[in-house]
Amino acid sequence: MQQENVRPNSLTFVGVLNACASIVALEEGRCAHEQIIECGWDSDVFVGSSLVDMYAKCGSMEDAQSVFNKMPSHDVVTWNSMILGHVKCGQGQKALELFQQMNKEGVQPDSVTFVGVLNACASIVALEEGRCVHQQIIESGWDSNVFVGNSLVDMYAKCGSMEDVQTVFNKMPSHDVISWNAILGGCAMHGHGNEALKLFEQMCEEGVKPDDITFVCLLSACSHAGLVDEGMCCYASMITVYMISPKSEHNSCMVDLLGRAGKLHEAENMIKVMPGKPYVPAWRALLAACKIHGNVEMGERVAKQFLESEPENAVDYVLLSNVYAAAGNRHLCENVELKRQERGVENQTGRTWIEVKNEVHSFIAGNQDHPPMIEIHTELQRLLGLMHDVGYVPDTKFVLHNEEEEEKVFQLCHHSVKLAIALGLINTAPGTPL
């Protein structure tokens, strides 16, 4: 078109920008942007919206924001592009801030807006904000929309409120396979295996055909709940009844299911018959099971599968060390650590973040320099007393350092997650999600 000297108009640029967005062609999009400015189309609302959308879908939120700020006005489509772009880039908090700004400017959100905002709430586990959005959805009349309903179910599940999940799901006028997958995924996430199986029966009774994601959710739920026989039945029916070929995710779930149950040889055989290149997460799931059940011989054999192919991953060294630690072989633990150091693999310290009263706090294991550390220790001691009363005994065999038993117990009880939870508990009202 350019070679024939046909002058582009706004529709031309909208089409070109949509093409760039669809194939994530950022540099070509920037070249188109330069032409848009040269041709004087940069003040056109449709071209501006397409520019924002292109930059957002290409992951360049700074450019998207720059174009957005220069636009004389914003419609709901433009706001949606910005909100969805920030969600895609993992900036859930920024997406929520934009939604609040959109409301202040009096732009009415649509179903796409609410789906994006709910995804933002889910990504940062913002339950209270999600409930406020839910209320706005009801007031706007979008609560009967299946896409919004699916996002509500997903948001509540990821925020840990399964009661709200069930309430929203039951009120939906209809359910598609995405609706069922969302609630099944919530059951899997929270270990509700039997509930997932009941829901699957209900799904089939309503005539909704499951897909491959349905079975990933089901198998994961069975794995987390220790339902070995049920998981085996689901896997078999997926293949024979629903004619769905197992993918690496399904096989990894089965490896995890069998491994947790101590059926290590069955799990290993399943990996060996997987089509194509062995799936590394499946081997890691089996190695973790070897640690739990103390099978050093298999653990060594499994570790070789990816320590040779992916020698730069520190997680694998830790898993193999844990296998040796479970068997009480401190010497082999040290050998693994030496090999990690020789290969220059950095073992990053585990870190936990928690947001309390709009302030983010960071912890590492044994952290002693956080301001309210005395109160945190006091809360941990209270919790440990309650745990001891119901029979909890610290399992120190996986603490790799050669230290006294009392020091090992201290390390376990002052893990970064425990420190963060203690801070959350002493700074929030009872029943508040952390």
Side-chain angles (χ1 to χ4, degrees), residues 223 226 228 254-268 285-286 288-295 298:
S223 176
V228 180
M254 288 303 296
V255 170
D256 188 52
L257 174 71
L258 294 167
R260 287 173 187 256
K263 299 179 181 292
L264 301 181
H265 291 289
E266 292 94 325
E268 186 178 22
L286 181 56
C290 291
K291 176 195 78 170
I292 294 169
H293 298 286
N295 192 323
M298 183 181 289

Side-chain angles (χ1 to χ4, degrees), residues 140-395:
S140 303
W142 285 106
D143 49 320
S144 59
N145 180 279
V146 67
F147 301 108
V148 174
N150 292 343
S151 296
L152 276 168
V153 170
D154 182 66
M155 181 275 294
Y156 279 127
K158 288 178 179 174
C159 289
S161 181
M162 289 305 292
E163 289 183 5
D164 286 312
V165 166
Q166 194 67 59
T167 299
V168 172
F169 187 83
N170 291 341
K171 288 182 179 179
M172 290 176 67
S174 62
H175 306 117
D176 58 12
V177 67
I178 298 173
S179 315
W180 288 103
N181 289 348
I183 192 168
L184 288 170
C187 290
M189 192 184 305
H190 300 289
H192 300 169
N194 287 313
E195 181 63 25
L197 292 170
K198 291 177 183 176
L199 285 167
F200 179 64
E201 289 181 12
Q202 187 180 340
M203 173 184 180
C204 296
E205 289 171 0
E206 292 190 11
V208 179
K209 185 179 179 181
D211 60 12
D212 59 325
I213 297 174
T214 309
F215 283 100
V216 170
C217 297
L218 267 180
L219 294 173
S220 179
C222 289
S223 176
H224 293 162
L227 303 174
V228 180
D229 293 338
E230 293 84 347
M232 296 289 286
C233 289
C234 288
Y235 186 79
S237 69
M238 176 183 75
I239 300 169
T240 60
V241 177
Y242 298 99
M243 304 301 174
I244 297 174
S245 299
K247 295 184 179 179
S248 54
E249 294 86 353
H250 302 110
N251 291 328
S252 292
C253 286
M254 288 303 296
V255 170
D256 188 52
L257 174 71
L258 294 167
R260 287 173 187 256
K263 299 179 181 292
L264 301 181
H265 291 289
E266 292 94 325
E268 186 178 22
N269 289 335
M270 175 157 281
I271 297 176
K272 288 178 179 178
V273 300
M274 285 184 186
K277 184 180 178 181
Y279 193 52
V280 171
W283 284 115
R284 288 202 179 105
L286 181 56
L287 184 56
C290 291
K291 176 195 78 170
I292 294 169
H293 298 286
N295 192 323
V296 176
E297 181 184 352
M298 183 181 289
E300 290 177 324
R301 186 169 67 251
V302 169
K304 287 181 181 178
Q305 299 295 329
F306 43 79
L307 279 177
E308 293 176 1
S309 61
E310 295 188 8
E312 71 287 348
N313 196 319
V315 172
D316 302 328
Y317 296 90
V318 174
L319 283 172
L320 183 56
S321 293
N322 282 338
V323 172
Y324 291 138
N329 196 322
R330 190 66 54 186
H331 175 67
L332 290 177
C333 285
E334 293 171 355
N335 286 346
V336 174
E337 177 63 15
L338 285 173
K339 185 176 291 187
R340 180 188 67 77
Q341 293 176 2
E342 288 170 1
R343 292 178 174 178
V345 180
E346 185 177 349
N347 191 11
Q348 295 185 350
T349 303
R351 186 179 295 272
T352 301
W353 289 268
I354 184 171
E355 183 178 349
V356 179
K357 298 176 181 176
N358 297 320
E359 183 178 357
V360 176
H361 303 262
S362 175
F363 291 92
I364 59 174
N367 191 335
Q368 300 296 319
D369 57 2
H370 203 281
M373 190 52 67
I374 295 175
E375 293 87 343
I376 290 172
H377 280 295
T378 301
E379 179 65 10
L380 280 176
Q381 290 303 315
R382 183 185 74 83
L383 294 172
L384 289 170
L386 295 173
M387 293 159 67
H388 181 270
D389 291 343
V390 295
Y392 169 73
V393 178
D395 185 358

Side-chain angles (χ1 to χ4, degrees), residues 54-107:
M54 181 275 295
Y55 280 127
K57 287 180 177 174
C58 290
S60 181
M61 292 311 299
E62 288 185 5
D63 287 317
Q65 188 69 57
S66 177
V67 174
F68 183 83
N69 292 342
K70 291 176 182 177
M71 291 177 68
S73 62
H74 308 116
D75 60 9
V76 66
V77 176
T78 314
W79 284 104
N80 289 347
S81 295
M82 288 294 294
I83 290 169
L84 292 171
H86 281 295
V87 173
K88 181 183 176 182
C89 294
Q91 301 167 357
Q93 188 60 49
K94 181 63 178 175
L96 290 180
E97 291 170 5
L98 279 170
F99 179 62
Q100 292 169 358
Q101 185 181 343
M102 176 183 176
N103 283 328
K104 287 180 181 177
E105 293 191 13
V107 179

